Amino acid sequence: MNNILNHINDTEIRNIADKVAGGVRISGEEGLLLYKKADLALLGLLAGIVRRRHNQNFAYFNNNFHIEPTNKCIYNCKFCSYHKNEGDPDSWEYTQDEMVDIVKRFDGKNVTEVHIVGGVHPDYDLHYWGSLIKKIKNHRPSLHVKAFSAIELDYMISSAGLTIKEGLTILKDYGLDSIPGGGAEIFDRELRKMICDEKASSELWLTIHETAHSIGIPSNATILYGHMETYMHRIDHMERLRSLQDKTGGFNAFIPLKYKMSNNSMSFLGEVNIIEDLRNYAVSRIFLDNFSHIKAYWPMIGKENAQLALSFGVDDMDGTIDDTTKIYSMAGSKEENPSMSTEEICRLISDAGYTPVERDSLYKPVLSPLLRQG
Ligand code: V47
């Protein structure tokens, strides 16, 4: 490895590369230099070192599906293509029975996780959402329920007049297993004000996740990138996550979400290209040394790009999805009806040179019939 690093001409980048190869944490300033000055091939190499330290040659996926209860939302984030007002012909709202029917569609199928996330609907309270989780658990106790972004949680808990800890404890008792990473967007106060002024602050997002971790609810973290932010904003966002992870160890995965431009009021910004996506996955992998997993969410970035990202630090492809999410098709993703079979996801991973592992929601291997047959 040292021989390869000898070919780096820039002394600053060479020193950072030496640190990464030696397993030493890099500073925010050094992360910034990687974004600005390191070429993509070097970033892939360094991210690969960190990736292998955490996950060897494995690449993970799960068998999962989503429920998006409603796209009616009290907030109107500028990047969102999903939000609709009450009365809009494109708005929807499922009843609890309809949502349990979605779960029933997967009876006899080897799914292990349901991911529930949607708009912040004004009419439903904490116990409504809790009882939905309970009904799902009653029907299929082994299904892991990963539900509600910190933004939805803030609304349902604060409108019930409870503390975050009280609200999360109630949801945990109903059967909540983990929390997805949505709603983090970008933590910088000024930028957050520009793109999603109304919803929970960055500090509140972090407090909700910290409190969840303290009562044994793990979670994910996201960043929304590729809009108006600079590299400094991305580093600031990841530094806050890295500090919290040092404190709690409760994050499972970090998921960079690329801003998609269709049907929202920030379309004039356009979208960043694949080079920038790969650069961002790689720097995330290098910088977040205390996160075990970096996920490429293929319904957002596309199957082939997610496959390519495996060589830039990513070790998790998310799941099979089975055409159950609309958030990204509404924002212009080319994956209009996102669905992958276990066979297809395994083939994508092995064609990229990695070993596919079906995981549960906590990254324990699941012995799927397909993988058992080799
Ligand atoms: O918070 C919304 C993003 C997130 C757009 O935890 C957009 O496993 C880009 O958090 N362009 C929700 N992004 C989705 C989410 C998620 C996805 C996959 C896996 C996990 C996990 C979590 O979607 C929102 C927001 O950041 N988003 N609109 C858009 N136009």
Side-chain angles (χ1 to χ4, degrees):
M1 181 56 62
N2 285 338
N3 291 343
I4 298 176
L5 299 186
N6 281 339
H7 295 281
I8 304 170
N9 292 326
D10 184 302
T11 322
E12 279 180 321
I13 295 294
R14 167 69 203 258
N15 290 340
I16 300 170
D18 281 338
K19 277 177 114 173
V20 175
V24 178
R25 173 171 284 190
I26 64 166
S27 67
E29 214 169 286
E30 290 166 331
L32 204 52
L33 280 173
L34 285 182
Y35 267 129
K36 286 183 175 165
K37 282 171 63 179
D39 69 51
L40 190 60
L42 176 65
L43 288 178
L45 180 78
L46 296 178
I49 294 172
V50 183
R51 179 207 193 287
R52 269 185 294 282
R53 201 174 280 146
H54 284 281
N55 298 296
Q56 303 167 50
N57 205 47
F58 299 127
Y60 298 92
F61 69 96
N62 70 352
N63 267 289
N64 65 347
F65 64 100
H66 289 224
I67 297 176
E68 291 172 347
T70 180
N71 61 352
K72 297 177 191 170
C73 188
I74 59 166
Y75 302 125
N76 205 347
C77 303
K78 298 213 167 40
F79 56 80
C80 182
S81 318
Y82 177 84
H83 159 102
K84 295 285 175 279
N85 289 321
E86 181 79 60
D88 187 306
D90 292 329
S91 68
W92 75 79
E93 183 183 328
Y94 293 127
T95 64
Q96 283 195 344
D97 285 347
E98 285 169 332
M99 291 189 267
V100 174
D101 282 344
I102 296 177
V103 177
K104 288 181 180 164
R105 286 206 323 248
F106 292 88
D107 286 356
K109 296 188 181 168
N110 61 340
V111 292
T112 59
E113 176 188 279
V114 58
H115 177 159
I116 308 175
V117 71
V120 177
H121 194 293
D123 294 347
Y124 301 112
D125 67 7
L126 182 79
H127 294 283
Y128 174 86
W129 296 116
S131 64
L132 169 69
I133 295 176
K134 194 165 182 189
K135 284 181 186 171
I136 293 173
K137 285 285 192 180
N138 284 345
H139 180 72
R140 191 160 176 170
S142 65
L143 197 63
H144 179 107
V145 176
K146 180 174 84 179
F148 309 130
S149 72
I151 309 306
E152 292 161 277
L153 291 167
D154 166 43
Y155 183 78
M156 63 180 94
I157 293 172
S158 62
S159 47
L162 297 170
T163 65
I164 296 167
K165 191 167 184 178
E166 287 164 347
L168 287 174
T169 304
I170 290 170
L171 289 170
K172 190 178 183 207
D173 290 343
Y174 273 117
L176 179 72
D177 293 302
S178 69
I179 296 175
E185 321 312 358
I186 195 83
F187 289 150
D188 177 80
R189 188 184 297 259
E190 289 307 308
L191 266 187
R192 197 173 183 85
K193 208 168 164 195
M194 285 161 82
I195 68 172
C196 53
D197 193 19
E198 304 151 311
K199 69 188 191 189
S201 68
S202 309
E203 291 71 25
L204 190 48
W205 189 99
L206 289 160
T207 303
I208 289 171
H209 282 257
E210 180 172 359
T211 311
H213 299 170
S214 77
I215 59 166
I217 303 175
S219 69
N220 288 335
T222 58
I223 183 173
L224 183 70
Y225 72 94
H227 42 94
M228 285 177 282
E229 89 290 356
T230 62
Y231 289 141
M232 197 197 64
H233 294 125
R234 293 190 205 169
I235 291 287
D236 165 62
H237 190 96
M238 290 194 288
E239 271 194 311
R240 299 195 209 192
L241 291 173
R242 192 168 75 173
S243 303
L244 182 53
Q245 180 74 331
D246 277 341
K247 214 165 152 187
T248 68
F251 287 117
N252 284 331
F254 179 63
I255 310 152
L257 295 171
K258 173 199 181 100
Y259 166 67
K260 301 291 291 178
M261 63 181 276
S262 298
N263 307 314
N264 60 64
S265 53
M266 288 174 17
S267 299
F268 64 92
L269 290 172
E271 289 179 15
V272 296
N273 60 29
I274 180 67
I275 303 296
E276 190 54 38
D277 297 325
L278 297 176
R279 173 172 287 277
N280 193 51
Y281 282 120
V283 177
S284 308
R285 175 60 290 175
I286 295 164
F287 192 77
L288 292 173
D289 58 350
N290 54 0
F291 275 66
S292 297
H293 303 285
I294 305 290
K295 183 190 283 191
Y297 186 55
W298 66 266
M300 177 264 300
I301 198 167
K303 292 177 187 177
E304 291 82 7
N305 289 340
Q307 180 189 35
L308 187 58
L310 293 171
S311 301
F312 290 83
V314 163
D315 64 279
D316 184 13
M317 298 269 290
D318 200 81
T320 47
I321 307 283
D322 209 9
D323 196 12
T324 48
T325 174
K326 293 195 183 72
I327 294 181
Y328 279 99
S329 48
M330 291 170 83
S333 169
K334 70 181 185 119
E335 305 290 349
E336 283 179 29
N337 300 96
S339 213
M340 270 216 259
S341 65
T342 305
E343 288 83 348
E344 187 180 3
I345 213 164
C346 286
R347 198 174 52 246
L348 282 180
I349 291 170
S350 39
D351 284 354
Y354 297 91
T355 307
V357 178
E358 183 183 342
R359 61 166 177 84
D360 67 12
S361 304
L362 303 175
Y363 290 84
K364 300 227 166 43
V366 171
L367 277 182
S368 82
L370 183 83
L371 298 177
R372 247 180 280 155
Q373 286 158 18

